[in-house]
Amino acid sequence: MPVDLNNAQPLAWDSASLNADTKAMLDNLQPNILRAHVREYLTVLFVRFNDVAEGKRFLRHVATTHMKSARKHLEEIRTFSRERRPGSAYVGIGISKAGYRDLGHSVEDVRRFGDKVFRDGMKRRIALVDDPPVEQWENTYQREIHAVILIGDAKPEPVERLREEILGELPQSARLLGEETGQGMRNPAGDGIEHFGYVDGRSQPLFLKDEIDQEPKEHWNPAFPLSNILVADPFAPNPARHFGSYFVFRKLEQNVRAFKDIERDLADGLGLTGADRPRAGAMLVGRFKDGTPVTSKPKAAGGPVTNDFTFDADADGSKCPFSGHVRKTNPRSFGRNVLMARRGQTYGERTDQPWDEAPPETRPSGDVGLLFMAFNSSLVEQFEFTQQSWANNPDFQNPGTGHDPVIGQGGRDIKVTFPKVWGRPEQSLPQPQVAQTVTMRGGEYFFMPSLAFLRGL
């Protein structure tokens, strides 16, 4: 029976009744797609090939020697939960449109990828998502990237070892165009955070029954069909069994000092004092630093934080403004098919503590940020739609809502309203839109092909 990507039932990957096609899909799917792989330490290599045979031989070797399947990854997670025995490191490979061409596929071949955004490449899409001109990107991303190789693990030693091995195997005809290093940041509670100091990575779409069963679902259902993330691999031996996913990579630099200035200015402008001042930042992000949704509570929870919420009881935006980052990028009551599986990681070193209340002038103004990574079944309907029609659209969800204050790009020439008192719309005050503090430094679109394709090169 062919794999049904639209099946509403979560995938029970270890079920004894799993059919042969689904088993083959899991045995040939890269890890980190259906379920996030631990990547506390991460290296991202960007490669250009210049010889078809040597490029294919290199990718085949990496896939055969260093890569595991999605099924193997899930088995390792189960073993760790039972025996606390850690699994192996993660290696993933993505190929760009230019990469497929360099590996010998014609223009007509590449048309077999149904997503026009992938066939165009990121450089040709900048006007549609308000990205900076390519000339302003970092040098690595201005060049033609053919492949991305990701190496991640819970500890640095396996990552460094694999990095050295894979670079040592790179043929002389190929070029390492650049690399990025990511390292997870956590607050004192152990939650993953980003450089502005807020808990990050919540509200992910989930695809596997064992993950979904652990989540409360009274208000928000995190279960999504495989059609949100997987597409048939057009060059694999059997596209009915062999799947991949479109992969977005974007380097986003964060001006933490400017964002903290904005938080302070917004709190001052609204007259927030004492314990109410953190609500200024929470209204920009949509959550307090500990992850508490501002639509649910006027102050941080100070304990376990639920992700089981919607914005239905905040129809006027008097608790979480419509411009709040998490409300802009996940309205929850609609647009579920747009959500991406985000797999980002922070980059850059800091000497301060991102979660504390130190003054803005002690914060970094550059050289730190997020390596944004996400898997999509449709770049045009997921990533680009989210960025263009939601985050960059000052009239989503209501006229005059303003840009997403975290990832929104574009001019900000209108004022927006923020509630001075939580839940009291009549006491909302117009404020200038916040300046852009996240800058896209470059990136590319890739396809993460099946292992069957890579190992058959």
Side-chain angles (χ1 to χ4, degrees):
M1 180 182 296
V3 179
D4 182 6
L5 298 183
N6 293 305
N7 191 339
Q9 297 300 315
L11 179 61
W13 65 271
D14 55 353
S15 170
S17 62
L18 214 61
N19 66 56
D21 283 320
T22 305
K23 290 179 181 177
M25 179 270 286
L26 290 169
D27 285 334
N28 288 281
L29 185 69
Q30 294 192 42
N32 198 39
I33 299 176
L34 291 183
R35 182 166 182 170
H37 195 289
V38 60
R39 304 172 320 285
E40 291 295 300
Y41 295 87
L42 178 72
T43 286
V44 186
L45 307 175
F46 298 99
V47 176
R48 178 187 174 95
F49 302 114
N50 296 295
D51 182 279
V52 173
E54 290 188 347
K56 287 182 174 181
R57 190 179 305 119
F58 169 75
L59 292 177
R60 182 175 66 244
H61 175 78
V62 173
T64 304
T65 307
H66 301 300
M67 296 179 70
K68 59 187 172 186
S69 69
R71 185 205 287 270
K72 175 65 174 176
H73 173 220
L74 297 173
E75 289 172 347
E76 289 181 351
I77 292 173
R78 184 170 57 190
T79 298
F80 180 77
S81 67
R82 293 174 178 176
E83 305 173 15
R84 313 310 293 175
R85 179 155 48 93
S88 55
Y90 160 62
V91 176
I93 289 178
I95 304 174
S96 70
K97 174 258 303 189
Y100 277 100
R101 292 286 308 280
D102 195 71
L103 292 172
H105 293 281
S106 67
V107 173
E108 288 302 316
D109 285 342
V110 176
R111 291 185 192 279
R112 292 164 63 181
F113 287 102
D115 197 302
K116 184 181 187 305
V117 173
F118 174 73
R119 298 197 309 267
D120 283 347
M122 191 173 287
K123 294 180 180 69
R124 294 179 63 184
R125 309 291 297 186
I126 57 174
L128 294 169
V129 292
D130 287 323
D131 278 341
V134 175
E135 298 76 33
Q136 296 179 15
W137 295 10
E138 292 182 0
N139 186 57
T140 294
Y141 306 105
Q142 292 187 33
R143 304 169 76 180
E144 185 177 80
I145 300 169
H146 290 163
V148 61
I149 302 171
L150 298 98
I151 309 168
D153 199 23
K155 297 182 178 179
E157 293 82 9
V159 175
E160 181 58 28
R161 176 180 57 80
L162 275 170
R163 175 188 176 277
E164 291 299 318
E165 287 184 19
I166 290 172
L167 287 179
E169 296 156 355
L170 195 66
Q172 287 190 349
S173 60
R175 292 290 179 270
L176 177 67
L177 301 180
E179 67 179 290
E180 301 287 357
T181 300
Q183 184 172 336
M185 299 193 308
R186 296 187 177 273
N187 63 19
D191 299 312
I193 61 173
E194 47 73 51
H195 279 285
F196 292 151
Y198 291 79
V199 167
D200 196 22
R202 299 287 174 90
S203 300
Q204 295 278 15
L206 303 181
F207 307 96
L208 305 175
K209 186 177 185 302
D210 53 354
E211 271 196 297
I212 294 164
D213 286 348
Q214 299 175 26
E215 294 290 321
K217 294 176 279 292
E218 182 180 354
H219 303 289
W220 160 252
N221 184 2
F224 285 74
L226 297 177
S227 58
N228 255 65
I229 195 169
L230 298 183
V231 295
D233 184 343
F235 298 128
N238 186 350
R241 287 185 166 195
H242 303 148
F243 292 82
S245 187
Y246 294 109
F247 181 71
V248 181
F249 182 93
R250 289 163 69 83
K251 184 175 184 179
L252 304 177
E253 184 180 49
Q254 294 176 253
N255 187 335
V256 182
R257 184 177 305 172
F259 189 83
K260 293 302 172 182
D261 276 331
I262 288 167
E263 286 181 331
R264 180 181 59 190
D265 293 345
L266 180 58
D268 291 344
L270 295 174
L272 301 181
T273 60
D276 284 329
R277 288 185 68 81
R279 189 161 56 85
M283 287 190 289
L284 298 174
V285 176
R287 297 179 183 271
F288 288 91
K289 285 184 177 180
D290 69 348
T292 301
V294 72
T295 194
S296 302
K297 295 184 178 181
K299 291 182 173 62
V305 174
T306 181
N307 195 48
D308 185 23
F309 72 94
T310 68
F311 299 102
D312 293 349
D314 188 19
D316 56 10
S318 62
K319 298 172 182 176
C320 178
F322 292 107
S323 61
H325 170 62
V326 303
R327 190 166 192 169
K328 273 277 194 182
T329 55
N330 183 3
R332 290 182 174 250
S333 58
F334 62 92
R336 285 175 59 85
N337 62 315
V338 175
L339 296 192
M340 302 165 279
R342 292 165 285 122
R343 303 288 186 255
Q345 185 56 285
T346 49
Y347 75 88
E349 297 184 4
R350 296 178 62 166
T351 57
D352 61 327
Q353 303 295 344
W355 57 82
D356 65 17
E357 299 301 325
E361 53 269 21
T362 67
R363 306 300 193 179
S365 59
D367 298 323
V368 300
L370 178 70
L371 305 177
F372 177 86
M373 294 171 276
F375 291 103
N376 305 244
S377 61
S378 171
L379 292 166
V380 67
E381 295 177 358
Q382 291 176 279
F383 168 71
E384 286 206 353
F385 179 87
T386 299
Q387 189 69 47
Q388 179 185 35
S389 300
W390 287 358
N392 295 353
N393 182 1
D395 294 321
F396 175 77
Q397 303 171 34
N398 287 305
T401 293
H403 290 69
D404 180 326
V406 178
I407 66 167
Q409 301 184 137
R412 291 159 162 78
D413 54 358
I414 61 173
K415 288 192 173 184
V416 295
T417 57
F418 293 91
K420 176 180 172 65
V421 179
W422 187 81
R424 298 284 298 276
E426 71 278 7
Q427 296 198 34
S428 294
L429 295 175
Q431 301 289 319
Q433 268 206 83
V434 304
Q436 184 173 324
T437 57
V438 175
T439 303
M440 187 269 201
R441 295 300 186 192
E444 187 55 279
Y445 296 130
F446 300 92
F447 186 74
M448 290 286 198
S450 66
L451 296 176
F453 166 79
L454 291 169
R455 290 170 178 169
L457 285 169

